[in-house]
Amino acid sequence: MEFYKDEPSTLLAVDCIIFGFDGESLQILLIKRGFEPEINNWSLMGGFVQPDESPDEAASRILYKLTGLNDVYMEQSAVFGKPNREKHGRVVSITYFALIDSKEYQHILSEEFKAKWFPIDDYPPLIFDHVEMINTAKRLLRSKAALYPILFELLPEKFTLPQISSLYEAVYDIVIDKRNFNRKLLSSNLLIKLNEKDKENSKKGAFYYVLNKDIYKDQIMSFLRYLPSWSAQDMGI
Amino acid sequence: MEFYKDEPSTLLAVDCIIFGFDGESLQILLIKRGFEPEINNWSLMGGFVQPDESPDEAASRILYKLTGLNDVYMEQSAVFGKPNREKHGRVVSITYFALIDSKEYQHILSEEFKAKWFPIDDYPPLIFDHVEMINTAKRLLRSKAALYPILFELLPEKFTLPQISSLYEAVYDIVIDKRNFNRKLLSSNLLIKLNEKDKENSKKGAFYYVLNKDIYKDQIMSFLRYLPSWSAQDMGI
DNA sequence: ACAAAAGTGTTGTCTTTACACCCATGA
DNA sequence: TCATGGGTGTAAAGACAACACTTTTGT
């Protein structure tokens, strides 16, 4: 630290924005904050970056510690660092966001942790600028999903076509023509049909599919083009 | 600071990645670092975030101090924070990138500052992980430009159609069919034709255009679709 | 038998691509 | 007059958007 010893240093935090999907609607994972200030108020999962870890590692560690969620694909979102964003001192926060299947983790969350899913448009007041963090991440999610097939990260291992289209409808808040959407989806060769049906949501049952990971890996989907008449503005991306 | 007094704090820096375009090819702005360690080695324009400013403000201040560039549209890129990315101590750096017309600022840079433009694919060795920062920003630039018309920020106030297409060719490293590209560009209504020609680059001269800012403001361009046969993978976005 | 969700085809329109020549000018 | 870069049109192929009915099965 010889050279930089006169430079100011800062508290550096991370906050994790976890979106979830249960087959019907989008949710956001929140937790009752476990430390002061603002203890017991709803917030994102956050904590401080330690000297021996990168911010990415800090985000994974903190998410795991607070929710039990492991191996979650998280991406850097924006940095929030206005000098007065926390009243109690200067903290710069790097936000991360992820997309998961909310059903899959339901039991972990409810048994051991205080984290809870809320509908994406109906959650309690949050501390600091966490609402803004969520909105920024939502925008990023939309534009990323316009170029990359990351939305599949939100689906369980096996999923049905109706589930995918509800997911897109939820993320972009639009109505999709299932005929066109399914056709496009199938023609991408990203999906492998299983000989097995999901009977939970209908009497007829919907076939399960799994991702063809080889193709998925670096394929870009431009589903945005195939949604019914709208412009990207409408979707807020 | 009552609550957080036991938390570790970190040196927080910003680094600015300034892409430039001179009508022909893409460049990157670099500077001979003015402080230890690594003084006099080529680097991005960087410095430390001060207690009374946001990282965004720090980036603008530092860019101005080191290059004289003012009022530049900069966006947050990635955060670099591996514990050992600088040998001399733990520094987490938030990177910012911007796009400017390199000709417009040429005189400022050469007269007062030590900053210098280099071709985007041929610049000297850089300190720390600055090469990785540039590559990440390049990728971000490409994907952003796929959804938003930010590339126009790179053009001078008045520009010609051939300039725009060279810009896209430079950013994506592709060859563009000018007939299709121009047609699409014009049909977007984003451009207003002037009665004035640029005669610098050809004998015939190319008409100048200006941006129709009202439309530009929130319009999304999907020019990517109009470039010749390629897939988004090829472009590395 | 009926309610509820899954699944399936066709057509018209628009967008994209491919392709080659003439124009204006300065040297 | 010629060399240089600017500008323009058309046709074929492919993608998109709009549209409604049949299938399956649990109750």
Side-chain angles (χ1 to χ4, degrees), chain A residues 177 179-180 183 199 203-204 225-227 229:
Chain A
D177 180 316
R179 283 168 293 193
N180 292 334
R183 177 181 23 251
K199 298 254 184 173
K203 295 163 183 173
K204 180 177 178 180
R225 300 199 206 163
Y226 314 125
L227 305 176
S229 43

Side-chain angles (χ1 to χ4, degrees), chain B:
Chain B
M1 223 35 126
E2 32 179 344
F3 294 116
Y4 300 145
K5 63 183 187 307
D6 295 332
E7 298 296 339
S9 68
T10 313
L11 288 171
L12 188 62
V14 297
D15 284 294
C16 304
I17 298 145
I18 308 295
F19 295 108
F21 183 67
D22 61 4
E24 278 205 348
S25 59
L26 266 187
Q27 293 138 286
I28 176 89
L29 188 62
L30 299 173
I31 194 164
K32 280 208 172 176
R33 179 153 151 135
F35 54 93
E36 289 286 6
E38 302 275 353
I39 188 167
N40 281 329
N41 291 330
W42 289 104
S43 79
L44 297 169
M45 287 68 73
F48 290 97
V49 178
Q50 300 300 310
D52 59 345
E53 67 185 353
S54 67
D56 297 21
E57 287 160 358
S60 297
R61 172 180 59 77
I62 287 164
L63 182 66
Y64 179 68
K65 199 179 74 189
L66 297 179
T67 65
L69 268 62
N70 216 342
D71 274 330
V72 169
Y73 164 82
M74 277 198 285
E75 290 212 7
Q76 274 185 22
S77 175
V79 176
F80 289 76
K82 292 206 186 102
N84 57 347
R85 57 174 286 277
E86 290 201 24
K87 311 172 202 77
H88 309 275
R90 174 83 197 270
V91 180
V92 171
S93 174
I94 306 173
T95 61
Y96 284 80
F97 75 98
L99 304 160
I100 64 175
D101 172 15
S102 54
K103 274 184 182 157
E104 190 180 337
Y105 294 100
Q106 193 56 59
H107 59 286
I108 308 181
L109 293 174
S110 52
E111 281 168 23
E112 300 178 47
F113 295 91
K114 295 196 209 157
K116 192 165 168 257
W117 291 110
F118 289 89
I120 189 76
D121 289 318
D122 182 22
Y123 51 80
L126 302 182
I127 66 172
F128 309 144
D129 46 4
H130 287 197
V131 171
E132 195 187 340
M133 289 176 172
I134 292 176
N135 290 333
T136 301
K138 222 193 298 181
R139 237 174 293 128
L140 199 59
L141 169 61
R142 288 180 175 190
S143 36
K144 287 228 78 153
L147 288 173
Y148 304 94
I150 55 169
L151 288 192
F152 285 108
E153 302 289 336
L154 257 170
L155 296 168
E157 192 78 18
K158 301 188 295 189
F159 47 83
T160 66
L161 296 183
Q163 281 175 332
I164 306 185
S165 47
S166 338
L167 174 56
Y168 273 80
E169 290 184 324
V171 169
Y172 291 110
D173 202 20
I174 50 170
V175 176
I176 286 178
D177 180 316
K178 273 81 178 173
R179 282 168 294 194
N180 293 334
F181 191 76
N182 289 355
R183 178 182 23 251
K184 193 63 211 178
L185 214 38
L186 294 172
S187 76
S188 74
N189 283 331
L190 278 173
L191 306 187
I192 300 167
K193 189 176 190 169
L194 303 183
N195 252 334
E196 196 186 341
K197 281 188 165 185
D198 162 37
K199 297 253 185 176
E200 282 193 24
N201 299 300
S202 77
K203 296 162 181 173
K204 179 175 179 180
F207 280 105
Y208 279 119
Y209 290 80
V210 292
L211 255 195
N212 184 341
K213 297 235 163 116
D214 297 340
I215 296 189
Y216 166 77
K217 221 177 348 176
D218 46 17
Q219 169 130 0
I220 298 228
M221 295 217 272
S222 8
F223 282 141
L224 292 192
R225 301 200 206 163
Y226 314 127
L227 305 175
S229 44
W230 45 269
S231 73
Q233 282 103 309
D234 299 334
M235 308 180 14
I237 65 171

Side-chain angles (χ1 to χ4, degrees), chain A residues 41-43 123-127 131:
Chain A
N41 291 331
W42 289 105
S43 80
Y123 52 81
L126 302 183
I127 64 171
V131 170

Side-chain angles (χ1 to χ4, degrees), chain A residues 166-214:
Chain A
S166 339
L167 174 55
Y168 274 80
E169 290 183 324
V171 169
Y172 292 108
D173 203 18
I174 51 170
V175 176
I176 287 178
D177 180 316
K178 274 80 179 172
R179 283 168 293 193
N180 292 334
F181 191 77
N182 289 356
R183 177 181 23 251
K184 191 62 209 176
L185 215 39
L186 294 173
S187 76
S188 72
N189 282 331
L190 279 172
L191 307 186
I192 300 167
K193 189 176 190 172
L194 303 183
N195 251 334
E196 196 186 344
K197 281 188 165 183
D198 162 38
K199 298 254 184 173
E200 283 194 23
N201 299 300
S202 77
K203 295 163 183 173
K204 180 177 178 180
F207 279 104
Y208 279 119
Y209 289 80
V210 292
L211 254 196
N212 183 342
K213 297 232 163 119
D214 297 340

